[in-house]
Amino acid sequence: MIGRRHPGVAVLLAGVLLVVPGLDRRTTVTAATPAATDPASARRVTLGSSVVGFGHLLGSGRAQPFVTDPAYRQLLLDHFDGLTPENQLKWEVVHPVQDRYDFGPADAIVAFAEEHGMPVRGHALLWHNQNPAWLVADRYTDDELRDILRDHVTTVVGRYAGRIGQWDVANEILDDAGNARSENPFIARLGMGIVADAFRWAHAADPDATLFLNDYNVEAIGPKSDAYLALARDLLAEGVPVGGFGVQGHLALQYPFPSTLEANLQRFADLGLELAITELDVRMRLAGDPTDTQLTAQADIYRRVAEACLAVDACTSITLWGSPDAYSWVPGFFAGEGAATPFDADGTPKPAWDALQEALGRIE
Ligand code: 9MR
């Protein structure tokens, strides 16, 4: 259904199954017994993790923990309800050659998730990064490029129809000023109309999947989130099947907390969209191990994000990006920063994990 108001998370009795829109179509998530007096436990927000390291072509030295590290797979099972392939559904992995798709890495994760009753988010169909050389070689006519995208969206979404409940269809398509991102190879050539096409093709391939716009630096109310709000409103007015807005949540101790997060989520919810925190992590500058002060401040940020999501009925999931710290993308991208996930390098929970659990009403 287009632009529908999601019903929120159905609240049933303690210990029975709760329904998470979009993420629950083939699986339900067993609820922990909520404390009757705790408002945070009035509904369950799906807590997901990205799955790192398997099938990622860039960064050749990278570990492949999903394949090689049983402790990592156990961490996923012990702590998370759902999974997002971190790199395995990006073009460079899933569509490395024009006439060949490689679904092996994504299939392995989706099968693992299904085996364990974990819903899967799909990431990402239209993005400016991690595109294979053949795609960005600029040797196609506009019509050919459009056909290539249609084939990709149709094939990838179609393969997982009924199995991947949410897709980040358009990822990071606006810059920080709120303008169309010129590095996006499809938008650069075909204009913003291609975004609507991508949503329509994805919807045709899996009418039940919830289709998201997704970006970073959109946690707070500001020029970029304003532009997304306007874009979402326009797309919905045109009947484009946008169903959700994903706020990535790559936060850092050294920057102010986005204190308008809840209000920002709510205004997208008011359009009828589902909300998700899609890539949460909280990095910090390090000189050795994190200090207790840093760990406490980090825990506070995780807690505040969870509280903001819980405060908005249409916010149904929080995905942590790349837990544990050993497998986080952060140190490779921000020199001198790290410790961004709620689990230290060997998978031991940090104060941030307890704070997140408390905020979500999963522990007292
Ligand atoms: O975590 C991903 C990392 O392994 C990749 O090397 C990187 C390449 O661009 O992408 C990372 O994930 C990104 C996500 O797909 C989109 N939002 C920003 C994330 C962090 O860069």
Side-chain angles (χ1 to χ4, degrees), residues 214-228:
N214 187 57
D215 213 324
Y216 62 87
N217 285 353
V218 291
E219 291 73 28
I221 292 176
K224 191 172 185 179
S225 59
D226 287 352
Y228 269 105

Side-chain angles (χ1 to χ4, degrees), residues 2-4 231-243 271-273:
I2 293 171
R4 65 190 178 280
L231 174 64
R233 191 179 283 133
D234 288 350
L235 290 170
L236 291 170
E238 291 167 25
V240 178
V242 179
L271 290 185
L273 296 178

Side-chain angles (χ1 to χ4, degrees), residues 348-364:
T348 305
K350 298 195 274 193
W353 181 250
D354 291 341
L356 195 54
Q357 295 301 291
E358 281 165 20
L360 293 172
R362 295 174 186 216
I363 58 173
E364 305 278 314

Side-chain angles (χ1 to χ4, degrees), residues 150-354:
R150 179 170 48 209
D151 179 73
H152 179 89
V153 170
T154 303
T155 303
V156 176
V157 176
R159 180 179 185 87
Y160 298 105
R163 302 169 69 197
I164 291 185
Q166 297 187 350
W167 277 99
D168 293 331
V169 173
N171 191 44
E172 302 171 4
I173 57 169
L174 302 182
D175 64 21
D176 281 352
N179 299 314
R181 206 185 247 282
S182 52
E183 308 100 288
N184 185 299
F186 300 101
I187 293 172
R189 287 278 298 281
L190 305 170
M192 280 296 275
I194 197 65
V195 172
D197 288 337
F199 275 93
R200 290 188 173 110
W201 295 328
H203 182 66
D206 185 356
D208 291 333
T210 306
L211 307 179
F212 279 67
L213 295 160
N214 187 57
D215 213 324
Y216 62 87
N217 285 353
V218 291
E219 291 73 28
I221 292 176
K224 191 172 185 179
S225 59
D226 287 352
Y228 269 105
L229 192 72
L231 174 64
R233 191 179 283 133
D234 288 350
L235 290 170
L236 291 170
E238 291 167 25
V240 178
V242 179
F245 184 57
V247 171
Q248 291 182 6
H250 293 296
L251 303 179
L253 285 196
Q254 63 270 27
Y255 302 122
F257 184 81
S259 55
T260 51
L261 175 60
E262 179 187 327
N264 189 38
L265 296 175
Q266 187 59 56
R267 65 186 183 149
F268 284 89
D270 291 344
L271 290 185
L273 296 178
E274 184 167 347
L275 280 305
I277 310 295
T278 53
E279 304 181 17
L280 181 59
D281 52 19
V282 182
R283 63 186 188 273
M284 60 186 77
R285 294 186 177 128
L286 293 172
D289 289 338
T291 65
D292 287 349
T293 306
Q294 285 178 308
L295 291 173
T296 302
Q298 183 187 48
D300 192 50
I301 294 175
Y302 272 96
R303 178 183 56 75
R304 292 177 74 180
V305 171
E307 286 174 353
C309 177
L310 277 166
V312 176
D313 284 349
C315 184
T316 55
S317 70
I318 299 172
T319 295
L320 310 189
W321 207 243
S323 286
D325 284 346
Y327 299 137
S328 166
W329 68 290
V330 167
F333 282 73
F334 297 95
E337 297 184 42
T341 84
F343 297 92
D344 71 13
D346 72 5
T348 305
K350 298 195 274 193
W353 181 250
D354 291 341

Side-chain angles (χ1 to χ4, degrees), residues 56 62 86-87 90 123 127 129-130 171-172 248 250 279 321 329 333:
H56 180 27
R62 198 173 168 86
E86 185 169 322
N87 291 299
K90 295 172 179 174
H123 173 86
W127 192 30
N129 265 335
Q130 291 178 264
N171 191 44
E172 302 171 4
Q248 291 182 6
H250 293 296
E279 304 181 17
W321 207 243
W329 68 290
F333 282 73

